[in-house]
Structures are given as structure tokens and as C-alpha cells.
């Protein structure tokens, strides 16, 4: 993940956590972090693969949706897809 992509992803993580959501990272093989409200820990687990899913859950750990991140394109393309729900769309910005 380059600097511009990291900036965009950090904003998304921050908005999600500010709303009280929990975040998990799915790297395609494992979940290196699950239901976390620690921005630094979440960011530390993102960007190790070419593509990852950021799973968004409510405070009771019930999944709300997901954001599909792909690295290596322009920063405005780092969010490749996401769940089409108002809660997720608001986080993605």
C-alpha cells in the first residue's frame, strides 16, 4: 500500500471506528485481526496483500458489511467494492 492509499484507508478506518464499529481484516487466507476498535492495530494488518476485505461489524460483533480494498492503482480506486448499505457507504465516503 503506497502513501496515498494508506491515507484513504486510514480515513475509512477512522470513520468506522468513530461510529463505534468494530473492524476485522480478511487477507484471503486468514483473519489477522478480528472485531477490533484499535485503529493502529487495524492499520498494522492492512496492506500486506494485493487485496483485502475490511469487515465492518456493530458493537455486538454482528457483521454490517465489507469493503474490498485493492492496492496498486490510484488512491481513489483503492476501494474496489463495498456492501451497498448506507452505513458502509457513509464510511467509504
Amino acid at each position: 500500500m503506497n502513501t496515498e492509499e494508506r491515507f484513504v484507508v486510514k480515513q475509512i478506518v477512522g470513520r468506522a471506528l468513530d461510529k463505534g464499529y468494530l473492524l476485522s481484516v480478511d487477507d484471503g487466507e486468514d483473519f489477522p485481526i478480528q472485531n477490533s476498535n484499535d485503529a493502529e492495530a487495524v492499520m498494522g494488518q492492512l496492506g500486506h496483500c494485493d487485496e483485502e476485505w475490511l469487515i465492518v461489524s456493530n458493537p455486538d460483533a454482528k457483521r454490517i458489511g465489507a469493503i474490498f480494498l485493492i492496492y496498486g492503482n490510484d488512491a481513489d480506486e483503492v476501494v474496489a467494492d463495498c456492501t451497498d448499505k448506507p452505513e458502509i457507504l457513509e464510511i467509504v465516503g
Side-chain angles (χ1 to χ4, degrees):
M1 172 175 9
N2 66 34
T3 304
E4 293 85 14
E5 292 168 333
R6 180 168 293 283
F7 178 78
V8 171
V9 173
K10 189 173 184 177
Q11 287 183 316
I12 291 168
V13 168
R15 283 192 293 266
L17 296 179
D18 285 347
K19 294 192 172 296
Y21 297 135
L22 301 174
L23 299 175
S24 301
V25 175
D26 176 356
D27 66 11
E29 292 183 18
D30 195 14
F31 286 85
I33 193 160
Q34 294 184 34
N35 298 319
S36 176
N37 62 358
D38 182 335
E40 188 174 316
V42 171
M43 289 302 299
Q45 294 301 321
L46 288 168
H48 299 290
C49 301
D50 292 334
E51 55 188 51
E52 297 164 313
W53 287 94
L54 186 62
I55 311 300
V56 181
S57 301
N58 69 15
D60 295 325
K62 181 179 178 194
R63 184 176 170 150
I64 296 171
I67 302 165
F68 186 44
L69 305 170
I70 297 179
Y71 310 112
N73 298 315
D74 291 331
D76 62 344
E77 296 175 342
V78 70
V79 175
D81 199 6
C82 67
T83 304
D84 188 16
K85 291 174 76 173
E87 299 93 327
I88 301 300
L89 296 173
E90 187 176 11
I91 293 168
V92 171

